[in-house]
Amino acid sequence: MEKSKYIWMDGKFVEWGKANVHILTHTLHYGLGVFEGIRCYTCADGRSAIFRLREHTDRLFDSALIAEMEIPFSRDEINGAIAGTMKKSGLKDGYLRPIVYLGHGSMGLFPKNNPVRVAIAAWSWGAYLGEEGLKKGIRVKVSSYTRHHVNSSMTKAKLVGNYVNSIFAKREVVTAGYDEAVLLDTDGFVAEGSGENIFMVKDGALKTTPLTSVLKGITRDSVMRIARDNALEVREERFTRDELYTADEAFFTGTAAEITPIREVDGRKIGQGRPGPVTKKIQSVFFDAVKGKVKNYEGWLWYL
Ligand code: PPE
């Protein structure tokens, strides 16, 4: 993994190897922390641009509000720190990971005086589900682990602790020979992937899970906009696993996963078993957009 030389910690750049925390860091023990995942792309003109930085920072602040953690920096300062971390990294493109966590102070489940700390790291990260997966599609399986109930964890917050459920699901299906997990919600409807939102296509129209039990994905939002701008119908509507089996096309969206086609679900081929025309169209507009090749979506880019 090519990584940045420095990590931003609480307002200062620290050398990668010295970016440490105390073992009694509260978040490490109990999982109350919030984070983001952001990509920076090399554009067609050679400049680097962070994709939808403001929206990621806004979601970080929303997550922190839900978690009752007061970030000791303004949104502008966080935007500047994320862009600054990327600039200082020496990388042209990569993945950025801001994290807000509770430092050491009191232990136990009523953190009183623990400081709210912020760190931002950058590293290069290729295709999350493989280059081949991006091109040809991946094989997924419905996990036996259910996505969080909306009242047992806060699904709108990108909470550190929420990802234990994702790790269980992902490990289960990867061990069984699949590429990624699909999690169902507590009512049995399709929710999302371990770290992605999900779309299905039927008769030329797209459907995606409503934002009830899933993360409000920024890639999901970008895809809905691209689809509508290309005269495709998009509905936010619950669907079952058998509706997914009989879809013409399906794909995952996420910052890390980008737009990854799904070619098989639970051993059933989706459509022709390869990325379909709608998926390919959206993928191609998306990759043009992140590289600054679509005027309409220039507003999504934060040039460094
Ligand atoms: N759902 C979940 C549960 C999720 O973690 C992500 C992002 C999404 C949907 C898509 O959201 P967005 O990135 O805004 O389109 N998952 C991040 C973590 C990946 C990781 O392994 O770490 C990501 O893609 O950055």
Side-chain angles (χ1 to χ4, degrees), residues 37 56 59 95 97 125 128 147 158 163 192-197 215 217-220 253-257:
H56 280 284
R59 190 171 65 187
Y95 186 84
R97 167 56 50 82
W125 210 353
Y128 188 62
R147 200 74 184 131
K158 208 166 161 56
Y163 284 83
E192 59 183 341
S194 69
E196 307 88 1
N197 292 114
L215 190 72
I218 291 162
T219 321
R220 174 186 181 277
T253 66
T255 298

Side-chain angles (χ1 to χ4, degrees), residues 18-265:
K18 292 186 179 149
N20 303 317
V21 292
H22 194 274
I23 200 66
L24 292 186
T25 292
H26 197 276
T27 304
L28 184 61
H29 295 255
Y30 306 115
L32 185 75
V34 299
F35 69 102
E36 271 305 319
I38 311 172
R39 272 197 194 265
C40 178
Y41 289 92
T42 307
C43 294
D45 64 6
R47 287 187 290 169
S48 294
I50 300 178
F51 187 65
R52 304 195 71 174
L53 174 57
R54 287 176 201 85
E55 290 87 340
H56 280 284
T57 297
D58 284 345
R59 190 171 65 187
L60 184 70
F61 276 79
D62 282 348
S63 294
L65 182 143
I66 293 168
E68 296 191 274
M69 297 170 82
E70 204 176 321
I71 300 178
F73 297 94
S74 68
R75 284 172 204 238
D76 285 347
E77 284 168 332
I78 294 294
N79 282 331
I82 294 171
T85 302
M86 193 64 212
K87 272 193 211 151
K88 211 172 158 73
S89 74
L91 304 168
K92 287 285 298 171
D93 42 57
Y95 186 84
L96 285 146
R97 167 56 50 82
I99 181 164
V100 178
Y101 60 100
L102 290 179
H104 69 104
S106 51
M107 291 305 275
L109 302 182
F110 191 75
K112 286 183 287 280
N113 307 314
N114 302 56
V116 176
R117 301 192 57 188
V118 187
I120 306 161
W123 62 87
S124 62
W125 210 353
Y128 188 62
L129 294 158
E131 273 303 328
E132 168 124 347
L134 215 48
K135 283 199 193 89
K136 299 194 173 152
I138 57 165
R139 297 173 54 245
V140 308
K141 180 163 170 49
V142 172
S143 170
S144 70
Y145 292 95
T146 304
R147 200 74 184 131
H148 302 286
H149 183 277
V150 292
N151 215 17
S152 72
S153 191
M154 304 292 108
T155 57
K156 295 286 169 300
K158 208 166 161 56
L159 285 173
V160 171
N162 279 358
Y163 284 83
V164 173
N165 175 248
S166 290
I167 293 172
F168 283 154
K170 176 119 191 179
R171 271 203 184 137
E172 177 189 34
V173 307
V174 170
T175 307
Y178 298 85
D179 303 309
E180 182 55 289
V182 171
L183 290 102
L184 304 180
D185 66 21
T186 45
D187 292 327
F189 292 88
V190 172
E192 59 183 341
S194 69
E196 307 88 1
N197 292 114
I198 189 166
F199 284 77
M200 55 162 278
V201 183
K202 187 75 181 177
D203 300 327
L206 288 94
K207 222 185 241 194
T208 190
T209 321
L211 294 176
T212 318
S213 60
V214 300
L215 190 72
K216 194 178 169 199
I218 291 162
T219 321
R220 174 186 181 277
D221 179 73
S222 310
V223 163
M224 291 201 293
R225 167 94 190 272
I226 290 170
R228 286 173 179 148
D229 288 351
N230 282 275
L232 291 162
E233 189 193 332
V234 188
R235 292 200 300 274
E236 295 176 76
E237 216 175 273
R238 299 210 289 191
F239 53 94
T240 55
R241 64 197 284 179
D242 53 359
E243 196 176 340
L244 182 60
Y245 295 161
T246 55
D248 299 327
E249 304 178 34
F251 57 88
F252 277 133
T253 66
T255 298
E258 301 169 300
I259 316 274
T260 302
I262 296 171
R263 65 179 164 91
E264 189 189 301
V265 181

